[in-house]
Amino acid sequence: MLVVLMVGLLSLTADGGEPLFFDVNDAGPSAANVPAVKPWKVVPLDPNYGGQWVVAADLNADGRVEFVACENHNVGDVHYTSTAVAHDLDGAVLWRWGDPDIGRKPWHHDVACQTHDWDGDGKPEVILATKGAIVELDGRTGHERRRIQISKDATDCIAFADLAGRGRPTDVLVKDRYHNIYAYAYSGKLLWHATDPGGYLTAHQPRPIDLDGDGRDEIAAGYAMLNADGSIRWTFKSTKVDQNRGHLDCLRLVRRGNNPKDVRLILTFCGANGIAMVDGNGTVIWERTGSHFESIDLGRVIAERPGPQILVDIDHQPPGKGPLWLLDENGALLGRINTNYARHHHLLDWTGDGLDEIFNADSGAIYDGRGRRITTLVALPTVDGSERSILVGDFTGDGVPDVALVTTTALSIFRNENGAKPTHPINLGTELNVTLY
């Protein structure tokens, strides 16, 4: 009886909007008693070719990570990758590609450049979308291996998927902003083209997810989920907001299942100001509305609450009003931290206790499961009013995810000395299909 009453009380409290575990204001400088951690490495980015979009992999098979930084050319929110430069951990330049005279270093969106072993030879390539073409670069040398001609505006981002069930992502997705998505095979053959999927704008990045376990990826294209052949599988319908006010910002897989109805996906809505949990058939489980929820991280911060937990920022706020919300998979508000700026964040086990800490890129703050700042990562300052972003991956070679705080001029890399190795081994560098959202 006591357990039943407690669950009911928690549900009532969550519905009332007050966090169950912590509500913290940390919009100012770090307290004097909070430990400060200096970078393990600082990698300066090439002043002519480098930009804030960064991906990482072992490009030259030396057992160490390399970083690829990019600029992008932008006119009227239509953009393409204009430079790429590869750096090693010591900051040396391995190669440069592109035109350094036409791009910009800051970003406000995904930039179309990824690292991926596209041909399956065990060596990562650098694949980017420049004006009218997908370009494949040799990861070791930066030499251009080939170009695939695409629609001139389909250069908003790039992502890889397994549409044919080959066991590895050999198909590539590109899109414009925000109407058309194109799927190409490794050969360069156009597989399909979708326009305004489900009658709505596209998301920022198509998200490949195998919902039914058949080995072929479905594609979260926005509010519509596409089958591997590009046909509509289902379209999300909000019960509370007008989805025509904007587009889908972020979609993440919260929980896998033996069939789609057991799958859980979390979505945020740009313009429509909402966040929702749906199953693998697109059926709404719950919704919260009224704020511009943006990017999502998944992990487990609070030990007392079982299951996956959701970290989401609320964007389009004035300085000093940057909320980070922590929700459970039922939508209950577990914690809230007000920061100076919350747009870029991550969840990662930093202390080795098996739980994730909350990272805020703007301040370098690391928070524990009670919302307390336990550490500050001291990164190089931003310049020209640009933002500081966060990159996570194994950068030291020990199999544990590390953290890099990124500006338009440098990466400040912080070694994760206490975190445990993930259950599934990770490669050097960043994950497949890096995205800002």
Side-chain angles (χ1 to χ4, degrees):
M1 178 62 70
L2 178 60
V3 173
V4 173
L5 289 175
M6 182 61 72
V7 171
L9 177 61
L10 291 179
S11 298
L12 179 62
T13 306
D15 290 341
E18 293 302 318
L20 299 174
F21 289 93
F22 59 84
D23 195 2
V24 175
N25 182 41
D26 189 36
S30 176
N33 62 342
V34 175
V37 176
K38 294 182 178 180
W40 170 70
K41 291 268 189 181
V42 173
V43 178
L45 299 177
D46 186 279
N48 296 315
Y49 286 75
Q52 191 164 9
W53 182 264
V54 177
V55 289
D58 182 2
L59 297 177
N60 56 10
D62 66 351
R64 304 177 80 210
V65 73
E66 284 81 41
F67 299 92
V68 178
C70 298
E71 292 182 355
N72 73 104
H73 175 273
N74 178 79
V75 176
D77 208 24
V78 175
H79 46 265
Y80 59 83
T81 304
S82 53
T83 67
V85 56
H87 290 273
D88 67 17
L89 268 174
D90 298 318
V93 172
L94 279 66
W95 50 258
R96 299 177 178 91
W97 174 92
D99 183 349
D101 296 327
I102 60 173
R104 61 178 181 177
K105 296 181 180 300
W107 45 248
H108 306 281
H109 44 65
D110 285 349
V111 174
C113 179
Q114 302 285 351
T115 59
H116 177 45
D117 179 12
W118 200 4
D119 58 9
D121 67 352
K123 304 171 187 175
E125 290 79 51
V126 175
I127 301 97
L128 55 86
T130 194
K131 188 176 183 179
I134 298 170
V135 177
E136 180 184 8
L137 303 177
D138 183 280
R140 183 188 295 267
T141 65
H143 291 158
E144 198 168 304
R145 297 174 59 171
R146 61 179 180 141
R147 286 189 172 220
I148 298 171
Q149 296 304 307
I150 60 175
S151 174
K152 68 180 181 66
D153 293 338
T155 52
D156 188 59
C157 72
I158 193 165
F160 293 90
D162 185 359
L163 300 177
R166 294 187 177 91
R168 56 184 305 273
T170 59
D171 307 301
V172 63
L173 303 166
V174 292
K175 62 179 285 290
D176 63 17
R177 195 170 178 94
Y178 293 89
H179 296 285
N180 298 282
I181 299 176
Y182 304 83
Y184 290 88
Y186 175 75
S187 65
K189 176 185 176 182
L190 177 64
L191 300 174
W192 50 259
H193 166 213
T195 301
D196 292 337
Y200 296 101
L201 300 178
T202 65
H204 288 278
Q205 187 193 65
R207 195 73 178 179
I209 301 170
D210 183 4
L211 290 176
D212 52 17
D214 67 351
R216 299 188 302 166
D217 285 329
E218 284 71 46
I219 303 299
Y223 289 124
M225 184 70 67
L226 306 182
N227 292 306
D229 63 2
S231 61
I232 301 291
R233 186 181 184 95
W234 50 258
T235 302
F236 167 76
K237 298 293 185 182
S238 173
T239 61
K240 295 187 176 183
V241 298
D242 178 6
Q243 294 161 234
N244 289 300
R245 296 175 54 201
H247 54 266
L248 186 139
D249 262 335
C250 184
L251 183 147
R252 293 290 181 268
L253 175 65
V254 177
R255 188 186 292 276
R256 294 191 180 276
N258 293 325
N259 56 65
K261 71 176 183 179
D262 297 323
V263 171
R264 293 293 181 268
L265 305 168
I266 187 77
L267 304 77
T268 59
F269 321 146
C270 174
N273 286 359
I275 183 171
M277 182 79 75
V278 304
D279 70 11
N281 294 318
T283 303
V284 176
I285 308 300
W286 55 262
E287 290 190 69
R288 277 182 173 267
T289 61
S291 298
H292 190 112
F293 300 99
E294 191 90 29
S295 291
I296 292 169
D297 294 310
L298 297 169
R300 188 151 176 253
V301 177
I302 295 175
E304 295 91 331
R305 296 293 271 197
Q309 294 162 14
I310 302 154
L311 181 69
V312 62
D313 62 285
I314 296 175
D315 199 22
H316 298 268
Q317 302 290 313
K321 302 289 184 182
L324 282 168
W325 282 21
L326 186 70
L327 307 170
D328 71 8
E329 64 177 323
N330 298 312
L333 180 59
L334 304 181
R336 181 168 54 203
I337 304 171
N338 181 57
T339 72
N340 183 62
Y341 184 60
R343 179 66 185 84
H344 308 294
H345 47 81
H346 207 82
L347 291 178
L348 180 68
D349 181 4
W350 186 255
T351 62
D353 64 356
L355 296 169
D356 292 311
E357 279 69 50
I358 297 170
F359 288 71
N360 176 258
D362 180 66
S363 64
I366 304 177
Y367 301 99
D368 67 8
R370 289 299 180 269
R372 298 169 295 202
R373 188 192 289 220
I374 59 171
T375 304
T376 301
L377 304 179
V378 183
L380 292 183
T382 60
V383 296
D384 301 327
S386 61
E387 302 167 0
R388 182 184 289 124
S389 61
I390 186 168
L391 202 63
V392 171
D394 179 10
F395 304 140
T396 63
D398 62 0
V400 177
D402 306 296
V403 171
L405 297 181
V406 188
T407 70
T408 56
T409 60
L411 291 86
S412 300
I413 304 172
F414 299 87
R415 184 168 192 156
N416 187 355
E417 297 181 345
N418 298 310
K421 288 185 179 181
T423 304
H424 301 288
I426 59 175
N427 294 324
L428 274 172
T430 47
E431 79 277 11
L432 184 67
N433 297 338
V434 171
T435 174
L436 170 60
Y437 295 90

